[in-house]
């Protein structure tokens, strides 16, 4: 297991609550979270508990996604069903906005 020397995203949000966080840091963090999620989804893993306290930073502020206690591994068939359900959900939300 790796050591998250720089703490969590939750810690950073609290620390900089009244201060500005650089736009470059925000973009870098979001990009690394997306890359991590894409990798997990390619491995058929759904995290199911992604929140600031589960986003960890190493010494160089690279993101590590932690706490896989609620994670679930899906079969290919389930993945397609989830995709369909998600699309249906998004469309239903779009209809509510209109």
């Amino acid at each position: 297991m790796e050591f998250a020397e720089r703490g969590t995203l939750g810690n950073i949000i609290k620390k900089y609550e009244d201060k500005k966080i650089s736009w470059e840091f925000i973009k870098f963090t979001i990009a690394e979270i997306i890359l991590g999620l894409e990798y997990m989804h390619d491995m058929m893993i759904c995290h199911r508990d992604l929140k600031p306290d589960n986003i960890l930073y190493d010494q160089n502020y690279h993101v590590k996604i932690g706490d896989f206690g609620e994670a679930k591994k899906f079969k290919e068939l389930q993945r397609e069903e989830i995709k369909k359900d998600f699309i249906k959900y998004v469309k239903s939300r779009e209809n509510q906005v209109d």
Side-chain angles (χ1 to χ4, degrees):
M1 181 161 38
E2 294 181 50
F3 178 59
E5 187 173 324
R6 302 290 184 179
T8 68
L9 178 56
N11 296 131
I12 289 176
I13 290 169
K14 288 174 195 161
K15 182 178 177 180
Y16 291 95
E17 188 173 15
D18 298 327
K19 302 172 191 154
K20 286 188 176 182
I21 299 174
S22 82
W23 183 239
E24 291 304 313
F25 180 79
I26 293 168
K27 289 190 302 186
F28 183 76
T29 296
I30 291 170
E32 290 214 332
I33 291 169
I34 290 169
L35 289 171
L37 291 174
E38 283 180 340
Y39 176 78
M40 287 189 304
H41 291 173
D42 287 345
M43 298 290 114
M44 307 300 288
I45 298 170
C46 181
H47 189 279
R48 301 185 339 154
D49 192 25
L50 196 63
K51 58 188 176 188
D53 288 337
N54 291 338
I55 305 297
L56 311 167
Y57 291 98
D58 72 6
Q59 171 182 346
N60 298 314
Y61 287 97
H62 286 286
V63 166
K64 308 290 181 189
I65 298 174
D67 191 359
F68 284 79
E70 297 294 320
K72 184 171 181 177
K73 189 150 173 83
F74 291 99
K75 298 176 186 167
E76 189 64 37
L77 179 60
Q78 289 173 316
R79 183 179 186 175
E80 292 305 314
E81 290 172 13
I82 291 167
K83 216 185 269 187
K84 287 177 189 172
D85 288 344
F86 179 73
I87 291 168
K88 192 161 87 174
Y89 169 77
V90 169
K91 286 182 180 179
S92 73
R93 298 289 296 170
E94 289 172 351
N95 292 336
Q96 289 177 0
V97 173
D98 293 337

